[in-house]
Amino acid sequence: MSNENVADGDVRRKGGLGQRIAYACGNLGQAAFYNAMSTYFVTYVTSCLFVSYSKALAAQMIAVITGLIVVIRIAEIFIDPLLGNLVDNTTTKWGRFRPWQFIGGLVSSVLIVLIFSGMFGLVNVNTTLFIVLFVITFIVLDVFYSLRDISYWGMIPALSSDSHERSTYTALGTFTGSIGYNGITVIVIPIVSYFTWTFTGAKGQGQAGWTSFGFIVALLGLITAWTVAFGTKESTSALRAKAQKNGNPFEAFKALFQNDQLLWVALSYLLYAIANVITTGVMYYLFVFVLDEPAAFSITGIIPLIAGFIMAPLYPILNRWIPRRYLFTGGMVSMIIGYTMLALFSSNLPVVIVALIFFYVPAQFIQMTAILSLTDSIEYGQLKNGRRNEAVTLSVRPMLDKIGGAMSNGAVGAVALAAGMTGHATAADMTASNIATFKTFAFYVPLVLIILSLVVFWFKVKIDEKMHAQIVEELEAKLASGEIVDDEAQPVAAAEAAAAAGDEAQAVIKN
């Protein structure tokens, strides 16, 4: 495909093999990058960054840094729609999305090395200056990572307007994302331990090892982002032509809040994301301080890695016969079983392994359903409000992941401090109160959030494959007849009736 205008039928055709491979590669490094930032950076902060400080001062600094991370990430939540608007209004010969793959991949890769190096040792030289520079660096890093993430997922509508074809691209990105995200979990301890020993001759996970880990993640992130930048091409269609004028940031926020289906999908995904990242964020502590089996921690990467190999390619196949709603529900039920087992048998390694299978296996189905529902809400919003916002709409998912990541960072720091799981502590130091605190944060609270997520999705999210197909057909007809003009809100009664065959779908769109 190219940047030249093509017939709307052309944009629905399968993308070339090279483009599919290039697109899939992007999330390999992006997901590894996200896991390194949202999970292992806080692990590095609590276990290594302040190891030269006194125990009391180290605890204070851990609280300060983790608190700053939470505040920064929550504050940047409100920036993501603005970044999406920036992407939507980008006009270059490369298109809208590819330039941000190039720039975002470069800047974020350089800065992640800085934060995993303790600002190249500044943390042990000048604490105040370290904190100031850390805040600035983390904010800039988060912004450019967001630009990369938003432009990556925002590219899907530029590749196809067909819901099932979009599921193929989503499956490819999710498949490689599973490898990147969970692969980091498998290799983090071996990498950090190996380079710590190589550079210092010491055993364990030292500063040299964490710096090397940051460098490897940065290199992987850069290569995969540039693979997308140079290996894909965007195409235009009659539907996407409306995205040429996306308005100012105020109109972007307005478009988000007027899209009720987008908001319900977002709420359901947010509840899931918070639960998921809190649990995965403290899994390291389960194996080190509860099970006293640190060597078995790689299981938490191996299980989801294998699950991703199987479930991500399986999703678009099953989705041809099974509606997304039921794939999502089955996944949530599996997670509820897993959480229940983890909460009741957290000190039994064989049961924990079985529970982790129930916990990790459905992740692909849940995440892909959310991504596809958000993507399909682009045309829903275009038909309802007369404005097409691609990157702005799809900036919602990274925004929600940031909220989840902030919660994860905060929960990891809180658990580490409240349960005494910092510095040189071991499993032998853990009390029943420590374990109870850990289980509350890691399992019971997330279990409640998962149940709420399922309830919201089942009762409030109405947009599905059938409804989306009818919306696209209605849009194409209105565009062909010239009925849709700039900034004019459009009626959607026809799409409602055809999509949901009754009053329920009419209500969800009119509301």
Side-chain angles (χ1 to χ4, degrees):
M1 288 190 244
S2 70
N3 284 325
E4 298 172 358
N5 289 339
V6 294
D8 206 45
D10 292 336
V11 79
R12 296 193 189 202
R13 293 184 309 196
K14 294 181 179 179
L17 179 61
Q19 174 159 286
R20 286 187 171 189
I21 293 174
Y23 183 81
C25 285
N27 207 30
L28 179 69
Q30 186 166 291
F33 204 101
Y34 174 77
N35 199 9
M37 283 181 60
S38 64
T39 302
Y40 297 110
F41 178 66
V42 179
T43 302
Y44 158 65
V45 169
T46 59
S47 64
C48 177
L49 183 59
F50 302 109
V51 72
S52 64
Y53 287 38
S54 67
K55 186 175 181 179
L57 182 57
Q60 293 176 8
M61 291 303 298
I62 290 171
V64 168
I65 292 299
T66 55
L68 285 172
I69 292 172
V70 172
V71 171
I72 291 169
R73 303 202 84 172
I74 290 178
E76 289 194 353
I77 290 168
F78 302 99
I79 298 177
D80 277 358
L82 301 180
L83 299 179
N85 187 251
L86 174 63
V87 174
D88 269 336
N89 285 287
T90 297
T91 304
T92 72
K93 64 179 181 180
W94 274 18
R96 282 193 189 87
F97 307 104
R98 295 164 63 207
W100 296 111
Q101 288 293 297
F102 181 87
I103 299 170
L106 176 62
V107 175
S108 60
S109 294
V110 171
L111 296 184
I112 198 171
V113 177
L114 276 177
I115 67 170
F116 269 101
S117 68
M119 306 301 287
F120 291 130
L122 181 63
V123 64
N124 297 316
V125 177
N126 189 316
T127 302
T128 302
L129 182 59
F130 165 77
I131 292 176
V132 172
L133 292 181
F134 168 80
V135 170
I136 296 172
T137 301
F138 197 87
I139 291 174
V140 176
L141 166 62
D142 224 20
V143 166
F144 279 90
Y145 168 78
S146 294
L147 284 167
R148 176 188 173 177
D149 196 25
I150 291 168
S151 61
Y152 180 79
W153 294 109
M155 191 180 293
I156 292 178
L159 302 177
S160 177
S161 62
D162 179 74
S163 187
H164 286 292
E165 179 65 11
R166 287 175 177 180
S167 74
T168 299
Y169 279 103
T170 304
L172 289 170
T174 305
F175 176 71
T176 55
S178 175
I179 297 173
Y181 187 94
N182 299 305
I184 285 294
T185 299
V186 174
I187 66 175
V188 57
I189 298 302
I191 284 180
V192 176
S193 299
Y194 172 77
F195 283 102
T196 298
W197 178 81
T198 298
F199 288 114
T200 67
K203 294 182 179 180
Q205 295 82 47
Q207 179 61 65
W210 283 109
T211 301
S212 301
F213 171 73
F215 179 80
I216 291 171
V217 171
L219 185 61
L220 178 63
L222 180 63
I223 292 172
T224 54
W226 283 9
T227 299
V228 177
F230 293 106
T232 63
K233 291 183 179 180
E234 301 169 31
S235 62
T236 57
S237 67
L239 294 182
R240 293 195 70 235
K242 287 290 293 180
Q244 298 296 331
K245 297 179 180 180
N246 291 286
N248 56 47
F250 174 78
E251 291 172 328
F253 277 106
K254 182 180 179 181
L256 293 181
F257 286 107
Q258 287 180 336
N259 192 328
D260 56 287
Q261 283 301 285
L262 168 66
L263 295 178
W264 285 121
V265 175
L267 177 58
S268 176
Y269 181 78
L270 174 61
L271 293 168
Y272 159 79
I274 294 174
N276 184 60
V277 297
I278 287 177
T279 301
T280 55
V282 298
M283 201 63 74
Y284 172 83
Y285 299 93
L286 171 65
F287 281 81
V288 173
F289 296 105
V290 179
L291 290 167
D292 195 18
E293 295 280 356
F297 174 67
S298 61
I299 291 172
T300 64
I302 294 172
I303 292 175
L305 188 61
I306 295 174
F309 272 113
I310 298 172
M311 306 307 285
L314 191 60
Y315 184 91
I317 297 174
L318 292 178
N319 189 214
R320 291 190 176 275
W321 292 279
I322 304 174
R324 293 196 298 243
R325 173 176 300 274
Y326 297 106
L327 294 175
F328 181 89
T329 301
M332 284 298 200
V333 170
S334 178
M335 288 196 74
I336 291 171
I337 294 172
Y339 268 119
T340 302
M341 295 176 67
L342 286 170
L344 297 177
F345 306 103
S346 58
S347 60
N348 187 315
L349 181 58
V351 178
V352 165
I353 293 174
V354 175
L356 291 177
I357 294 174
F358 281 102
F359 176 80
Y360 282 118
V361 164
Q364 311 299 321
F365 282 12
I366 295 169
Q367 293 170 10
M368 290 174 66
T369 297
I371 292 170
L372 287 167
S373 297
L374 289 170
T375 304
D376 286 353
S377 73
I378 292 172
E379 283 80 25
Y380 174 90
Q382 184 179 8
L383 185 60
K384 181 176 183 180
N385 304 313
R387 181 175 294 279
R388 182 181 179 89
N389 298 93
E390 294 175 336
V392 170
T393 299
L394 293 176
S395 72
V396 170
R397 191 202 55 80
M399 178 174 65
L400 299 176
D401 282 337
K402 277 190 176 182
I403 298 175
M407 295 295 182
S408 174
N409 296 151
V412 171
V415 168
L417 292 173
M421 299 176 177
T422 61
H424 300 290
T426 66
D429 300 319
M430 297 299 103
T431 66
S433 177
N434 295 146
I435 301 301
T437 298
F438 172 82
K439 289 170 67 173
T440 298
F441 274 96
F443 308 131
Y444 289 113
V445 171
L447 174 59
V448 173
L449 296 177
I450 288 295
I451 294 172
L452 289 175
S453 174
L454 177 58
V455 170
V456 170
F457 191 88
W458 190 257
F459 290 103
K460 290 297 184 180
V461 176
K462 305 301 180 183
I463 191 167
D464 57 15
E465 299 91 331
K466 184 179 179 181
M467 177 181 284
H468 177 259
Q470 295 296 332
I471 288 172
V472 170
E473 183 178 338
E474 181 77 5
L475 273 172
E476 290 174 341
K478 290 181 179 294
L479 287 164
S481 66
E483 185 176 344
I484 290 182
V485 296
D486 288 346
D487 301 324
E488 180 182 349
Q490 301 298 320
V492 295
E496 297 165 355
D503 294 338
E504 186 179 52
Q506 292 179 2
V508 69
I509 292 182
K510 288 180 178 177
N511 289 336

